[in-house]
């Protein structure tokens, strides 16, 4: 029987998207190996309320300590590689990697690879205000050769609000989908050749059928990269 690596998941941010990660990992392994095969994985699910309070307070170092502790736990449980199952908390990716002796598979790197493989260079970015406005994620994409556009202030506020007030609590509204489509259209008018869905919850609301330009769903991209790494011989 083929030996696969164990994937460690730092989840719960929110659990809505962590459930999508778990489903995708298992579906992708079954597609690759067939039969009753499923993903070897270990999940540490945090209390998102605690993390969100630290985000708002700007206490990123403390948030990083919590995720680093969780990362040590999944490594101790047998993880051979680790995923932070949220774009925003990649702000503390270096802190998490520093606590590990196994690789952290960075979501922005996997996403940049997918965008470049699609032949896209100028790309829009949707995500939380932290992801869209701070450098930790955008600059990682730029360093890989991408030109990154973000919505205007009103668009950023809308995208952020829907993530935290609706998607993270399992609410999916047609009105919000239409509003997101408007933000995407604005990015395209600004020159975006594609759009990164740079928050793991956005895929609960928006799919490729809602956009005329390529969308890059980061949850799926991350899961695909993880399975490729786990099944690499």
């Amino acid at each position: 029987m083929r030996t696969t690596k164990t994937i460690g998941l730092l989840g719960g941010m929110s659990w809505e998207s962590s459930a999508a990660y778990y489903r995708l990992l298992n579906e992708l392994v079954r597609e690759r190996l067939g039969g009753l095969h499923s993903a070897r994985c270990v999940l540490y699910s945090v209390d998102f309320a605690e993390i969100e309070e630290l985000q708002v307070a700007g206490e990123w170092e403390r948030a990083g300590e919590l995720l680093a502790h969780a990362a040590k736990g999944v490594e101790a449980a047998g993880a051979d590689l680790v995923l932070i199952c949220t774009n925003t908390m990649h702000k503390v990716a270096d802190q998490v990697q520093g606590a590990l002796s196994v690789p952290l598979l960075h979501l922005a790197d996997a996403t940049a690879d997918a965008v470049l493989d699609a032949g896209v260079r100028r790309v829009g970015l949707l995500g939380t205000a932290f992801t869209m406005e701070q450098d930790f994620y955008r600059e990682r994409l730029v360093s890989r050769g991408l030109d990154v556009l973000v919505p205007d202030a009103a668009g950023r506020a809308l995208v952020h609000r829907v993530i935290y007030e609706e998607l993270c609590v399992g609410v999916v509204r047609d009105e919000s989908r239409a509003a997101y489509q408007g933000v995407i259209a604005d990015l395209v008018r600004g020159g975006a050749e594609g759009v990164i869905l740079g928050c793991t919850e956005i895929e609960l609301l928006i799919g490729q059928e809602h956009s005329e330009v390529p969308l890059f769903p980061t949850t799926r991209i991350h899961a695909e990269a993880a399975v490729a790494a786990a099944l690499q011989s």
Side-chain angles (χ1 to χ4, degrees), residues 133 151-158:
E133 295 174 359
D152 61 18
R156 296 194 304 272
L158 167 72

Side-chain angles (χ1 to χ4, degrees), residues 157-175:
L158 167 72
V159 171
H160 182 88
R161 181 191 63 76
V162 169
I163 290 168
Y164 279 91
E165 295 182 9
E166 298 177 18
L167 301 179
C168 284
V169 292
V171 175
V172 178
R173 301 174 64 240
D174 290 339
E175 296 88 343

Side-chain angles (χ1 to χ4, degrees), residues 9-11 14-28 83-87 90 107 200 218-223 226:
L9 305 172
L10 303 184
S14 67
W15 70 258
E16 299 282 348
S17 64
S18 299
Y21 264 96
Y22 184 72
R23 174 180 55 79
L24 284 165
L25 290 169
N26 284 290
E27 288 176 349
L28 290 164
L83 312 185
I84 301 174
C85 299
T86 157
N87 288 269
H90 278 73
L107 181 47
T200 52
T218 54
T219 303
R220 174 168 286 277
I221 289 168
H222 209 193

Side-chain angles (χ1 to χ4, degrees), residues 21 84 86-93 106-113 115 123-144 146 148 150 196-200 203 216-219 221-222:
Y21 264 96
I84 301 174
T86 157
N87 288 269
T88 298
M89 292 311 295
H90 278 73
K91 184 174 175 70
V92 299
H106 200 291
L107 181 47
D109 293 344
T111 299
D113 288 343
V115 174
V123 66
L125 173 63
L126 302 182
T128 67
F130 309 110
T131 299
M132 293 185 289
E133 295 174 359
Q134 298 183 20
D135 290 339
F136 70 92
Y137 196 90
R138 288 186 294 109
E139 290 304 315
R140 187 102 177 190
L141 298 173
V142 170
S143 72
R144 302 291 289 268
L146 296 177
V148 181
V150 297
I196 294 171
L197 305 183
C199 174
T200 52
E203 288 154 72
F216 298 95
T218 54
T219 303
I221 289 168
H222 209 193

Side-chain angles (χ1 to χ4, degrees), residues 34-55:
L36 296 177
H37 285 287
S38 56
R40 295 181 185 272
C41 54
V42 179
L43 169 66
Y44 189 116
S45 189
V46 304
D47 181 353
F48 190 32
E50 296 176 2
I51 299 294
E52 190 270 344
E53 288 177 4
L54 295 173
Q55 291 175 342

